């Protein structure tokens, strides 16, 4: 069964955790992301080594076609040149322990003009994977953990 982006986002909006809900905003676009969450092994203030989130690297899809990319910032860049940078304003746990959290991000800056230009909020929902558990043994080591998620782009009104 296939659903259009607008149907998917309309149904997703009704069942979201309160921490990432965006009342008064309208979903404009939902993109599916496939990629990795990248972690770096760093020495903490206590001298112990620990994995620290570094950046996402993902391809954004609409109806199975590549339409953009998601990378450190966090940035979402659409194929028309429009892009937004988000800042986390709310979190909710993923569905299972190995899923990265669901997020609500306010748009902190934008560039270019196009599809993403009017976006004011981004929600990361339906996450799968991406969380890294376990010890790290060498400072400066990197680990990439595959993940997927849906990003809902909203605007005021």
């Amino acid at each position: 069964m296939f659903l259009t982006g607008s149907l998917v986002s309309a149904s997703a909006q009704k069942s979201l955790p309160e921490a990432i809900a965006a009342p008064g905003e309208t979903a404009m676009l939902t993109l599916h992301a496939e990629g990795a969450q990248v972690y770096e092994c760093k020495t903490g203030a206590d001298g112990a080594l620990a994995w620290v989130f570094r950046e996402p690297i993902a391809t954004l899809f609409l109806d199975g076609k590549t339409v953009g990319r998601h990378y450190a910032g966090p940035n979402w860049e659409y194929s028309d040149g429009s892009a937004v940078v988000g800042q986390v304003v709310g979190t909710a746990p993923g569905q299972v322990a190995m899923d990265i959290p669901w997020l609500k991000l306010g748009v902190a800056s934008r560039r270019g003009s196009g599809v993403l230009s009017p976006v004011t909020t981004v929600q990361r929902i339906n996450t799968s994977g991406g969380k890294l558990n376990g010890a790290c043994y060498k400072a400066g080591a990197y680990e990439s953990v595959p993940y997927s998620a849906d990003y809902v782009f909203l605007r005021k009104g």
Side-chain angles (χ1 to χ4, degrees):
M1 177 168 102
F2 291 97
L3 296 176
T4 65
S6 60
L7 287 174
V8 170
S9 50
S11 62
Q13 291 298 309
K14 292 185 177 85
S15 59
L16 289 178
E18 191 174 319
I20 66 161
E25 297 195 54
T26 304
M28 303 171 29
L29 177 67
T30 298
L31 299 177
H32 181 69
E34 294 280 343
Q37 299 283 307
V38 180
Y39 297 85
E40 183 177 0
C41 186
K42 289 191 170 186
T43 305
D46 60 0
L49 291 173
W51 291 112
V52 177
F53 176 71
R54 181 180 167 89
E55 63 187 333
I57 300 172
T59 302
L60 300 174
F61 297 95
L62 179 64
D63 299 326
K65 294 184 178 78
T66 300
V67 295
R69 63 193 188 114
H70 173 46
Y71 55 95
N75 280 272
W76 292 266
E77 191 174 289
Y78 201 75
S79 54
D80 64 6
S82 62
V84 294
V85 178
Q87 184 171 12
V88 175
V89 293
T91 66
Q95 298 294 323
V96 298
M98 294 309 293
D99 294 347
I100 52 176
W102 290 21
L103 300 176
K104 175 181 176 180
L105 303 104
V107 170
S109 66
R110 52 181 53 82
R111 63 187 183 281
S113 81
V115 170
L116 299 182
S117 297
V119 172
T120 51
T121 301
V122 180
Q123 292 165 323
R124 179 175 75 189
I125 62 171
N126 304 327
T127 57
S128 178
K131 198 177 269 187
L132 180 60
N133 288 331
C136 65
Y137 300 102
K138 182 175 183 236
Y142 292 91
E143 192 72 39
S144 294
V145 182
Y147 91 106
S148 66
D150 292 325
Y151 290 99
V152 182
F153 297 88
L154 304 109
R155 63 174 167 75
K156 297 272 187 235

